Amino acid sequence: MNEAIGALKEIFGDARVDTNVDRYLNDITEAPRGQADIVVQPRTADEVVAAMGLAHAHGLPVTPVVAGYNVAGLAIPRNGGIVLDLTLMDRIIEVNHDAMYVVVEPGVTFGQLKAHLDAEAPELVYSYPFAPPFTSVLANALLDGLNNLSLRHGAMGQWINGVEAVLPDGTVVRTGAGAVVDSWFGRAPLPDLTGLFVSTQGTTGVVTSAALQLQPKPPHRARWFAFAYDLAHAHAAMTALARTGSFDDVGLMTWPAAKMLFGATRDLARAEDEPLAFLFIDVTGASEMELDARTAMARRMLGEAGVESIFAVEDLVRLVPRYAKLAELPTTLDFLLDYPGGGLTWVGAYGPGGRWLEGAEKGLQLLEEHGFPPFLVARPMAGGHFYVLRFVVCFDKADPVEVDRVRAVMGQTADLVLDHGYVPYKASADAARRILARAHPGFTELWTRVRGLLDPDHRMNPGRW
Ligand SMILES: Cc1cc2nc3c(=O)[nH]c(=O)nc-3n(C[C@H](O)[C@H](O)[C@H](O)COP(=O)(O)OP(=O)(O)OC[C@H]3O[C@@H](n4cnc5c(N)ncnc54)[C@H](O)[C@@H]3O)c2cc1C
């Protein structure tokens, strides 16, 4: 290790190599404290190659990280070695207006990308999560995240047109059209090697840049909120709206989110006449007429599904300024991040719409049985081909008894969603174990072989999958 530290200092200089790794060993979740020897902060892809080559030569583990806000403990180093902090690699390399993509390095944040596109490509838009503006656009795509255009265009892994990556032995590779021609227009029609880096949580290599799709930005946009008094009506509304293909986003949060938005923390209670969930519906149009027609359709379909109270977000924000946080993404949901004791975790999963209602009801019941508020976030994805179930828990990280309760309920929630045909995304180490325990042996065999080929010593982000 000492030899490696000396060599790393020669490459990176003292300022970008640090043996004080404390802040990387924890995150906001219930994941146990990690272990690492050194952190390095590359500025360029060549520096990543150098660090990876050195780690390979010395047999050292490497854990890549940007903001560390994946909410599953995925960037906590588990087995010592090098933390590769990629925040300084923050160049937006290209915005391609013609084929509609942007090439970014891993340190580019959602806040940065939005400001850049607003200034340089106002006709185009990316897809934004509820994640804080300081988190990584690329890490979110590599994790197959779910953002505000995922109803139309699917999970974020599908938005990746290709990557440049450094394999565990220091080899530089490329995937997608940009590997062959001077344009990252897509993944088709080549063998789809981009998937080797999607949802693999940094275990197959370090992506140093990626081309991500952009979408045309319609000039007219409105966001609506609607209140639902039971989950069956909410589900009927989401399904009907999703299947029209006419709406940008349709999502759902249950009542604890609303209470917390207003500053409540622990001991949340719902009055009988309060809604169970609120839906948010994003409508866009190339003209005002198109926007109005879609809005009228949304109102009619919500009414038919039994969801009657509908508000334009501007009206709601005028009455209740706190709602502004939900009006524009990316946003900092401080009511989640500043919860007393600082703990935030969830099990989020993708699965079939037909089993959403039962999974949602049982998951909320499970949270309540463990003494946590019934906090659910959901959304139809990819035109309604699949759905999201995300069960959220805020907790006090300093209370070991509460942390144990959180671990227990998260484990059971991962099993519950799997029982309902849902597969956890951004799977924590615990959820990944539960997934692999149920996977077809052929899946596990293929994954074991692929990983064995790329990283035979399991040095990359050890402890995942
Ligand atoms: C309040 C809140 C709301 C959120 N809402 C959403 C949401 O709506 N939708 C959503 O999808 N996510 C959401 N998230 C999760 C998360 O913040 C985002 O997905 C975010 O973009 C992850 O970025 P990060 O910088 O935190 O990644 P990190 O946690 O730093 O990294 C994530 C993973 O990717 C690996 N990794 C990072 N960079 C590379 C690389 N270059 N090459 C290979 N592997 C790499 C890491 O090792 C780790 O396993 C939310 C988080 C919070 C706290």
Side-chain angles (χ1 to χ4, degrees):
M1 191 70 225
N2 283 342
E3 214 179 289
I5 290 176
L8 285 167
K9 283 193 170 166
E10 259 174 49
I11 303 168
F12 290 92
D14 282 348
R16 290 186 290 131
V17 177
D18 200 345
T19 49
N20 181 1
V21 291
D22 217 50
R23 74 188 176 93
Y24 299 95
L25 305 184
N26 269 306
D27 67 9
I28 52 178
T29 69
E30 74 283 13
R33 188 179 160 81
Q35 185 203 343
D37 296 290
I38 190 161
V39 53
V40 300
Q41 294 185 299
R43 277 211 190 96
T44 63
D46 285 346
E47 289 185 348
V48 174
V49 174
M52 294 285 275
L54 209 102
H56 179 61
H58 290 268
L60 296 173
V62 176
T63 302
V65 60
V66 189
Y69 272 78
N70 55 77
V71 200
L74 302 179
I76 298 177
R78 283 277 155 243
N79 200 17
I82 301 172
V83 173
L84 207 56
D85 175 340
L86 301 165
T87 45
L88 300 182
M89 292 180 67
D90 62 355
R91 282 184 315 142
I92 296 172
I93 296 169
E94 179 192 356
V95 175
N96 190 298
H97 298 256
D98 167 43
M100 295 189 288
Y101 62 80
V102 59
V103 181
V104 295
E105 291 186 332
V108 171
T109 65
F110 283 106
Q112 181 188 351
L113 180 63
K114 180 160 192 313
H116 190 83
L117 293 179
D118 286 351
E120 304 294 329
E123 81 284 13
L124 296 172
V125 66
Y126 193 62
S127 177
Y128 297 103
F130 286 111
F134 56 79
T135 59
S136 164
V137 173
L138 178 50
N140 166 268
L142 294 174
L143 285 175
D144 246 336
L146 57 150
N147 297 0
N148 72 339
L149 293 180
S150 291
L151 166 58
R152 272 194 196 277
H153 302 285
M156 297 312 297
Q158 308 212 341
W159 290 57
I160 306 175
N161 283 356
V163 305
E164 184 164 295
V166 184
L167 297 183
D169 65 0
T171 308
V172 177
V173 297
R174 270 195 185 195
T175 71
V180 180
V181 293
D182 188 21
S183 167
W184 296 93
F185 62 80
R187 274 148 83 157
L190 294 162
D192 186 6
L193 302 175
T194 303
L196 290 171
F197 302 94
V198 177
S199 273
T200 46
Q201 304 179 353
T203 55
T204 50
V206 175
V207 177
T208 49
S209 60
L212 304 172
Q213 288 171 17
L214 299 170
Q215 307 297 340
K217 184 179 182 178
H220 300 274
R221 172 179 177 234
R223 173 167 273 204
W224 295 83
F225 280 118
F227 293 147
Y229 287 81
D230 69 64
L231 284 179
H233 286 133
H235 181 242
M238 284 194 293
T239 303
L241 293 170
R243 290 195 173 195
T244 61
S246 286
F247 301 101
D248 276 26
D249 196 11
V250 177
L252 168 146
M253 291 195 196
T254 50
W255 63 268
K259 299 261 170 190
M260 291 172 73
L261 187 63
F262 284 102
T265 53
R266 302 184 80 94
D267 302 323
L268 304 180
R270 172 185 169 226
E272 259 176 32
D273 58 346
E274 287 177 337
L276 179 75
F278 59 92
L279 297 170
F280 43 90
I281 300 119
D282 281 352
V283 192
T284 54
S287 65
E288 237 170 85
M289 208 196 247
E290 187 179 11
L291 184 75
D292 290 346
R294 286 189 165 153
T295 302
M297 182 159 66
R299 280 182 175 281
R300 180 174 55 75
M301 296 185 106
L302 286 165
E304 284 167 3
V307 178
E308 297 286 356
S309 332
I310 300 159
F311 308 90
V313 76
E314 311 86 70
D315 294 339
L316 214 55
V317 168
R318 219 171 294 130
L319 286 172
V320 191
R322 273 174 184 270
Y323 269 116
K325 283 190 199 324
L326 296 175
E328 185 77 72
L329 300 181
T331 185
T332 300
L333 299 181
D334 43 12
F335 64 92
L336 289 180
L337 294 175
D338 298 344
Y339 187 85
L344 171 65
T345 191
W346 54 58
V347 168
Y350 295 148
R355 304 206 54 198
W356 184 91
L357 186 56
E358 194 191 342
E361 284 172 348
K362 294 239 177 88
L364 293 179
Q365 202 181 325
L366 185 67
L367 287 181
E368 290 191 290
E369 281 165 13
H370 284 257
F372 297 106
F375 189 160
L376 171 68
V377 178
R379 163 187 280 135
M381 300 277 287
H385 283 95
F386 61 101
Y387 279 65
V388 174
L389 279 174
R390 183 202 289 179
F391 297 99
V392 183
V393 170
C394 295
F395 63 100
D396 180 359
K397 273 183 68 99
D399 177 348
V401 177
E402 188 157 285
V403 171
D404 279 348
R405 280 172 54 224
V406 169
R407 287 190 181 132
V409 75
M410 286 294 108
Q412 289 176 33
T413 307
D415 275 333
L416 183 142
V417 294
L418 284 159
D419 288 344
H420 288 82
Y422 276 66
V423 182
Y425 57 75
K426 305 178 187 171
S428 67
D430 179 68
R433 266 191 297 276
R434 291 170 203 262
I435 294 170
L436 290 175
R438 298 183 189 219
H440 185 281
F443 173 85
T444 315
E445 172 66 21
L446 183 57
W447 170 232
T448 307
R449 283 198 202 182
V450 168
R451 192 166 176 188
L453 258 177
L454 296 180
D455 182 22
D457 312 323
H458 285 206
R459 287 185 301 104
M460 291 303 301
N461 206 357
R464 317 300 150 189
W465 283 119

